[in-house]
Amino acid sequence: MLPAQIYDALLDIVGSAYLRIEPSQLVPYSYDATPLFQHLPDAVVFPGSTDEVARILRLCAQTNTKIVPRGNGSGLSGGAVPIEGGIVLEMNRLHALDEIDTANLTATFGPGLVTSQLSKAVEAQGLFYPPDPGSVVISSLGGNVAECAGGMRGLKYGVTKDYVLGLEAVLPNGEVIRTGGKNTKDVAGYDLTKLLIGSEGTLAVITEITVKLLPKPAAKQTAMALFDTLSQAAAAVAAIIAGRILPATLEFLDQPTLKAVEAYTHAGLPTDVAALLLIEQDGAAVVVQEEMERIAAICRQQGAREVRLARDAQEGEALMSARRATLPALSRLRPTTILEDATVPRAQLATMVERINAIAAHHGVMISTFGHAGDGNLHPTALTDARNPEEIEAVEQAFDDIFRTALQLGGTITGEHGVGLAKAAYMEVRFGKAAIEVMKGIKRAFDPQGILNPGKMFAAQTPRRVVVNHDP
Amino acid sequence: MTHEVFSSQHPPLAELAEQLAYDDLMNCMRCGFCLPACPTYAVTGDDFDSPRGRISLAKAVADGQLSPDDPGFAQAFDRCIGCLACQEVCPSGVQYNRIFEQARAFIEARRTHGPVRRLAFSGLFLHQGLMRTAAALMRFYQKSGLQALVRKSGVLHVMGRLGALEPLLPKLAAPQRMASGQWLLPSSDRAAHAVAQVQRIDLRNRRAIALSAPARKNRVSSTATAVEAAQDSERANACLRVGLFGGCIMDAALSVTNVNTARLLQYAGVAVINVRGQACCGALHAHNGDLQHARELAKRNIAAFEQAEVDLIVSNAGGCGAQFFEYPELLQDEPLWHARACRFLEKVVDVTELLDRLDNLEGLRPIEAVVTYQDSCHLRNVMGVTEAPRKLIQSVPGVRFVELPEAEKCCGSGGIYNVTQYDFSMQVLDRKLAFLKQTQADYLLTTNPGCQLQLAYVAKRSGLPLKVMHIVDFLAQALPEER
């Protein structure tokens, strides 16, 4: 519960229509899409302008009130969970697409705009915004920037940070700053744009975003390849890239995932193969055709049991549907689905998947792995039940082993979901004390009071996941 | 912070969990994929009005974090239209329908105050004019046994809203009706085609048995008494035998649609009977928390259609057809009834789906018009019928079909939702209106009476020159003169 004068001041700023304080109104803002983390906020506000955001933050600084920015709550690291209570700052009213600049190839919009809506709007003008996190239909672009969202096109096109040119943001003291702009080249000063991307709402609240756009590729083609061993699939990935081809998409499904997908879709996928690769290339039609044929040949050389090359867009869609069905197929197996994103250099792909399978067997838990083979960005996914504390403990231990293995292989604890609450305990293992101190210094420079998205990124101790938090 | 407002009158948590479909609540990953599909979230942009938010509230109650009597909990579920678009897009297959119905039943059971008082003060009986304009709907309420429920849910104090719907209701005088228990028979050549079509096609697995349509020469009709009826029944045995589910609101207010349904089916080569002894499907009861009456109605319908010995059960209202999908679960505690419900469901088909599969409507007269279509949520999200209505519309010569943007999104009718949640319903509708204007259509067709009334209301209110019709009534206009 906040002091009465804070509710009163919030009422002055946003009005009664955009302030929520009743328990039933707060429950839907006590979580995001990350399993097992939950905590009630004391208020939810829906600001309608940068000015309102600034006034709210000034109020928070004056009264030392904690505040957590939130997009649409589709994040997978607990970044939007108000773990220490306080105010949830729901940004989805700021969803205007202000401009598509076809001369400079940029788009400028509010942080509440949904990713797929931006994609659709720019594609209608023959342009292309490549980052496509799995939650594009609902994720907000503010959330994408805060978490540096990735997606299936990382290998060829990069991730969110490769597209953001400029930001408007409000500092925890209420000051409004502008970083970057529409310039392709801009080396003036420290790059605050890049610093804010992936800062997980711990440094400032993003209120406007400018991204660069690409011309929309003219053609696209899809192929699927099936392998009897993981090492063959990994060798095929390496050989494609060594062959100087960068596919737009290079996705991987392991055998447990494949079995779940086939049980769910009955699409006729063989379940006795060790791995499936889905490959998409885009670009000029002639180039796409030629490269896809080379990719198919490389897969066969590496021992693929079967390679299917889609003849048209419809067949391509049918092949990609196996990848799209992974999450639905897996999440139906058990009540709780924990989707992680341990990442390794792509040459370590096969080793990592084999180690994950061994770790899952050792702890007696169900883990399926799929992901972005071209990036080495894997999604080991545990199927479990939050109501069974012993099983959850075993899952935690398995993930602990998985993250440590990824680090041993020269990888990282999170490829695209962010640190938030879920990975905070591993930050020091990942970076060592000195680097963490630099990061904490940056945090202090932006937010000396520590009011903005507290409890994220830096763990006070090394906690495991907690099953639902309530203050007494 | 917690909100421990429990006292001895609250059931223990285990019981709450049971009552609130806890297993289904646990299956929600909170991913938010349901948000873009939800018509109420589209209005407010507040997770409180999203499926994910509603599930979180039910779970908070079951977990003891929120009082079961918290008014916000009831409000969240009252505001849900029940369109089930969320269920269609859910990656983890959460059975939202079950969560919704159990939560509504739970909430209704705890609403102990006020029904009599509300009734007394509702002012209904003070307004004779209102009574007359509401007569058709009232007849439906009485006939369906909804009256008690409606009183309980506090709808009467908004009875004034029905005045707004008045111009939409067909004249009450001399409604066209199809006689109960009599066969409407097709011409023999068309019947042969229909039988061939049905044997060739595979509608769905669940109906495979019904559609194998074996010869029925030996079947003895147990209901027909008159010689003539027996002869008709004999002739009907040679055809595909289809029982028409009339539905209570259809029967009370839109009975012409039932007649047109039968005429179209007859034209398409099947024998149609308006099955005796059928009742309201029970959807409104179930969605408003009255599961006991929903069960009774389900049993009456199952028994009536068994008696009629039909091959298929045709529904012309998405809401009713979808409710039939609930029968097996509704009756799961009574093994024999459950088995009978499963057999009943195997035969259920929407009129548009059957007409499309029969592919036997050649010879329709042209209608020169621009036509658009609004999906019935339950036809789309529960029965899975999306293409058949669109194909049928385009099968009429002269028609130019225009797809309505967001046709898949609910119009806000939701059974009696537009009466109980009038203001919210109108906000949902405003969004729909903007898209309707874009289409510049002459006709807007639907497949559910609730949607039809709601959309006719918006067309009239906004002065759009748009004829709102049930798809069956539109198609019937194109039928050749009776031969």
Side-chain angles (χ1 to χ4, degrees):
Chain A
M1 196 75 113
L2 299 172
Q5 69 266 25
I6 295 182
Y7 291 123
D8 202 47
L10 290 172
L11 201 56
D12 277 345
I13 299 170
V14 294
S16 62
Y18 299 111
L19 173 63
R20 308 279 185 272
I21 61 167
E22 295 298 329
S24 62
Q25 299 172 327
L26 303 178
V27 167
Y29 294 88
S30 62
Y31 53 80
D32 62 10
T34 320
L36 311 182
F37 293 107
Q38 188 166 9
H39 195 288
L40 277 180
D42 298 302
V44 180
V45 287
F46 298 73
S49 66
T50 302
D51 181 55
E52 286 182 7
V53 174
R55 290 170 65 195
I56 293 164
L57 284 173
R58 211 170 300 135
L59 171 71
C60 288
Q62 280 159 6
T63 56
N64 224 15
T65 305
K66 289 159 181 169
I67 182 158
V68 179
R70 181 185 191 270
N72 285 333
S74 59
L76 288 169
S77 57
V81 180
I83 202 72
E84 298 183 12
I87 297 168
V88 164
L89 186 67
E90 173 54 67
M91 302 296 289
N92 68 6
R93 282 178 70 205
L94 300 178
H95 63 254
L97 174 49
D98 299 316
E99 182 194 59
I100 297 175
D101 180 341
T102 53
N104 284 309
L105 291 192
T106 63
T108 300
F109 44 82
L113 184 65
V114 170
T115 316
S116 63
Q117 289 175 358
L118 174 67
S119 302
K120 253 183 245 164
V122 301
E123 281 174 33
Q125 304 208 21
L127 298 170
F128 184 38
Y129 177 70
D132 64 335
S135 52
V136 278
V137 295
I138 187 57
S139 66
S140 75
L141 284 148
N144 286 177
V145 173
E147 302 292 331
C148 189
M152 294 210 268
R153 300 176 181 136
L155 173 61
K156 181 172 178 179
Y157 289 106
V159 296
T160 304
K161 68 179 169 198
D162 300 307
Y163 293 86
V164 179
L165 294 176
L167 296 170
E168 179 194 74
V170 183
L171 299 175
N173 64 10
E175 296 288 335
V176 180
I177 60 167
R178 277 195 169 272
T179 74
K182 288 183 180 178
N183 302 301
T184 306
K185 292 184 174 177
D186 183 354
V187 294
Y190 292 150
D191 192 342
L192 294 181
T193 312
K194 283 278 195 289
L195 184 56
L196 290 181
I197 301 166
S199 66
E200 306 192 1
T202 63
L203 300 181
V205 177
I206 293 159
T207 46
E208 190 193 278
I209 302 162
T210 299
V211 296
K212 73 169 175 184
L213 304 170
L214 301 179
K216 195 180 164 192
K220 186 167 84 171
Q221 200 181 4
T222 312
M224 180 175 84
L226 300 161
F227 296 88
D228 287 321
T229 68
L230 277 168
S231 47
Q232 285 173 344
V237 171
I240 291 167
I241 291 160
R244 307 292 180 266
I245 303 172
L246 274 188
T249 297
L250 189 41
E251 292 292 300
F252 157 86
L253 275 66
D254 76 350
Q255 190 179 30
T257 308
L258 208 48
K259 278 183 175 163
V261 168
E262 179 55 22
Y264 173 57
T265 61
H266 305 291
L269 296 171
T271 52
D272 59 340
V273 293
L276 174 152
L277 289 182
L278 275 166
I279 307 143
E280 235 172 36
Q281 182 58 306
D282 59 10
V286 186
V287 178
V288 169
Q289 177 76 26
E290 188 262 331
E291 291 196 334
M292 286 307 283
E293 277 163 18
R294 274 174 58 206
I295 287 171
I298 290 171
C299 288
R300 286 193 196 96
Q301 277 160 23
Q302 299 298 328
R305 182 199 286 191
E306 191 188 337
V307 182
R308 293 182 201 166
L309 202 57
R311 273 171 304 232
D312 52 34
Q314 205 179 349
E315 270 189 39
E317 278 300 302
L319 293 182
M320 284 306 283
S321 66
R323 172 63 178 85
R324 260 189 284 281
T326 48
L327 195 55
L330 290 173
S331 62
R332 265 157 230 248
L333 299 179
R334 298 291 305 280
T336 307
T337 305
I338 304 180
L339 178 68
E340 278 303 350
D341 66 332
T343 299
V344 291
R346 74 176 77 90
Q348 303 284 9
L349 183 76
T351 313
M352 188 66 205
V353 175
E354 276 156 9
R355 297 263 187 99
I356 290 171
N357 290 343
I359 290 167
H362 175 71
H363 292 284
V365 295
M366 223 171 140
I367 296 182
S368 299
T369 304
F370 62 97
H372 317 301
D375 315 336
N377 179 194
L378 295 172
H379 290 305
T381 302
L383 293 324
T384 180
D385 189 336
R387 287 166 292 189
N388 182 342
E390 283 138 48
E391 191 179 321
I392 291 293
E393 180 62 24
V395 168
E396 292 294 357
Q397 284 176 6
F399 275 127
D400 192 73
D401 289 353
I402 288 171
F403 295 137
R404 286 173 202 282
T405 305
L407 290 173
Q408 277 165 19
L409 294 173
T412 185
I413 51 178
T414 172
E416 57 185 0
H417 294 172
V419 174
L421 293 166
K423 309 284 172 57
Y426 298 95
M427 282 291 278
E428 208 168 295
V429 192
R430 168 81 175 88
F431 291 104
K433 271 198 165 36
I436 295 286
E437 278 312 311
V438 173
M439 290 189 204
K440 284 184 175 172
I442 292 170
K443 165 74 176 170
R444 277 193 296 273
F446 277 83
D447 181 18
Q449 292 166 276
I451 55 173
L452 195 54
N453 207 4
K456 311 294 164 65
M457 194 90 84
F458 309 107
Q461 55 268 32
T462 49
R464 296 201 181 279
R465 277 171 201 268
V466 272
V467 180
V468 186
N469 249 308
H470 315 284
D471 291 345
Chain B
M1 59 199 249
T2 53
H3 304 274
E4 298 294 348
V5 261
F6 285 81
S7 63
S8 56
Q9 61 173 340
H10 293 123
L13 287 182
E15 207 175 295
L16 277 178
E18 165 112 4
Q19 289 172 11
L20 290 171
Y22 200 71
D23 286 343
D24 292 300
L25 297 175
M26 284 299 295
N27 283 334
C28 173
M29 302 191 287
R30 311 185 294 203
C31 65
F33 282 32
C34 53
L35 271 57
C38 178
T40 55
Y41 179 77
V43 170
T44 65
D46 185 347
D47 243 278
F48 179 83
D49 291 308
S50 80
R52 172 173 71 171
R54 291 176 181 121
I55 289 172
S56 76
L57 286 167
K59 188 164 177 295
V61 169
D63 285 338
Q65 296 164 28
L66 189 69
S67 162
D69 296 318
D70 188 298
F73 172 53
Q75 190 194 20
F77 280 94
D78 284 348
R79 275 204 201 162
C80 173
I81 314 175
C83 70
L84 304 183
C86 51
Q87 197 166 296
E88 266 299 285
V89 298
C90 176
S92 41
V94 172
Q95 294 296 304
Y96 180 79
N97 195 30
R98 197 149 50 195
I99 292 170
F100 175 61
E101 288 192 356
Q102 294 202 203
R104 286 292 274 265
F106 179 86
I107 290 161
E108 280 309 317
R110 299 182 73 84
R111 272 188 180 134
T112 50
H113 297 297
V116 178
R117 224 171 20 205
R118 274 189 204 138
L119 176 64
F121 292 107
S122 67
L124 176 67
F125 299 107
L126 301 175
H127 299 289
Q128 290 299 320
L130 261 187
M131 274 301 282
R132 203 173 54 243
T133 60
L137 280 180
M138 286 311 291
R139 204 162 65 227
F140 145 66
Y141 286 137
Q142 289 153 3
K143 192 177 161 121
S144 61
L146 251 188
Q147 198 171 37
L149 167 72
V150 166
R151 286 173 184 169
K152 214 164 130 190
S153 67
V155 65
L156 289 176
H157 72 278
V158 289
M159 210 58 191
R161 310 286 188 213
L162 290 177
L165 298 174
E166 186 272 338
L168 318 174
L169 293 171
K171 297 284 175 288
L172 289 176
Q176 259 186 296
R177 270 221 164 62
M178 188 179 167
S180 167
Q182 279 181 14
W183 287 102
L184 199 59
L185 297 167
S187 68
S188 54
D189 53 334
R190 283 192 177 267
H193 178 81
V195 169
Q197 279 294 93
V198 165
Q199 280 173 341
R200 195 171 55 77
I201 60 183
D202 174 25
L203 263 179
R204 288 261 176 90
N205 287 338
R206 67 190 155 83
R207 279 174 238 138
I209 304 163
L211 289 165
S212 63
R216 297 173 199 284
K217 298 292 179 206
N218 300 328
R219 182 181 283 174
V220 180
S221 168
S222 53
T223 51
T225 45
V227 177
E228 197 178 308
Q231 282 171 348
D232 275 357
S233 187
E234 177 81 3
R235 276 185 60 208
N237 282 344
C239 318
L240 188 71
R241 296 160 57 103
V242 164
L244 178 64
F245 181 76
C248 48
I249 195 164
M250 279 293 199
D251 192 49
L254 303 162
S255 60
V256 65
T257 305
N258 282 343
V259 175
N260 285 334
T261 302
R263 284 173 61 212
L264 277 165
L265 288 168
Q266 178 190 31
Y267 184 78
V270 301
V272 189
I273 187 166
N274 183 13
V275 171
R276 242 192 261 272
Q278 58 177 293
C280 166
C281 66
L284 292 175
H285 303 73
H287 298 160
N288 291 284
D290 184 2
L291 294 177
Q292 193 192 332
H293 279 105
R295 284 189 195 100
E296 280 172 27
L297 293 166
K299 289 177 183 178
R300 271 164 65 185
N301 284 322
I302 292 167
F305 281 85
E306 281 173 355
Q307 187 87 6
E309 298 186 340
V310 290
D311 298 313
L312 290 173
I313 299 162
V314 171
S315 152
N316 57 14
C320 301
Q323 179 60 17
F324 297 150
F325 281 64
E326 301 297 315
Y327 282 7
E329 178 151 343
L330 205 52
L331 299 169
Q332 65 181 349
D333 293 336
E334 300 171 71
L336 187 59
W337 276 110
H338 175 76
R340 290 167 75 179
C342 290
R343 290 178 183 209
F344 176 90
L345 178 57
E346 278 175 354
K347 298 184 179 185
V348 170
V349 62
D350 185 73
V351 61
T352 58
E353 199 181 7
L354 181 59
L355 286 173
D356 176 47
R357 299 297 180 120
L358 288 170
D359 193 20
N360 207 9
L361 285 179
E362 76 282 4
L364 291 180
R365 297 186 302 179
I367 300 176
E368 301 292 337
V370 179
V371 180
T372 191
Y373 172 69
Q374 161 69 36
D375 283 288
S376 145
C377 294
H378 288 156
L379 185 65
R380 181 183 186 99
N381 300 326
V382 180
M383 300 187 77
V385 179
T386 56
E387 291 311 310
R390 291 171 168 83
K391 278 161 72 183
L392 282 174
I393 294 166
Q394 292 171 80
S395 74
V396 177
V399 161
R400 188 165 74 80
F401 179 73
V402 181
E403 184 68 33
L404 173 67
E406 290 197 4
E408 78 288 353
K409 209 161 238 168
C410 184
C411 68
S413 159
I416 54 172
Y417 182 89
N418 51 3
V419 184
T420 60
Q421 300 281 325
Y422 178 82
D423 295 330
F424 213 79
S425 167
M426 290 306 125
Q427 290 182 58
V428 173
L429 201 48
D430 285 342
R431 192 180 163 89
K432 188 64 67 189
L433 177 63
F435 290 122
L436 277 174
K437 284 180 177 160
Q438 278 178 30
T439 64
Q440 301 191 318
D442 305 309
Y443 287 90
L444 168 61
L445 305 184
T446 75
T447 41
N448 192 57
C451 315
Q452 188 181 341
L453 290 175
Q454 172 91 342
L455 294 165
Y457 174 64
V458 70
K460 184 174 170 65
R461 195 184 60 166
S462 60
L464 269 188
L466 185 67
K467 296 190 193 85
V468 180
M469 275 190 172
H470 194 289
I471 186 169
V472 154
D473 295 327
F474 178 79
L475 292 173
Q477 289 182 352
L479 282 176
E481 297 296 328
E482 304 280 342
R483 285 162 298 176

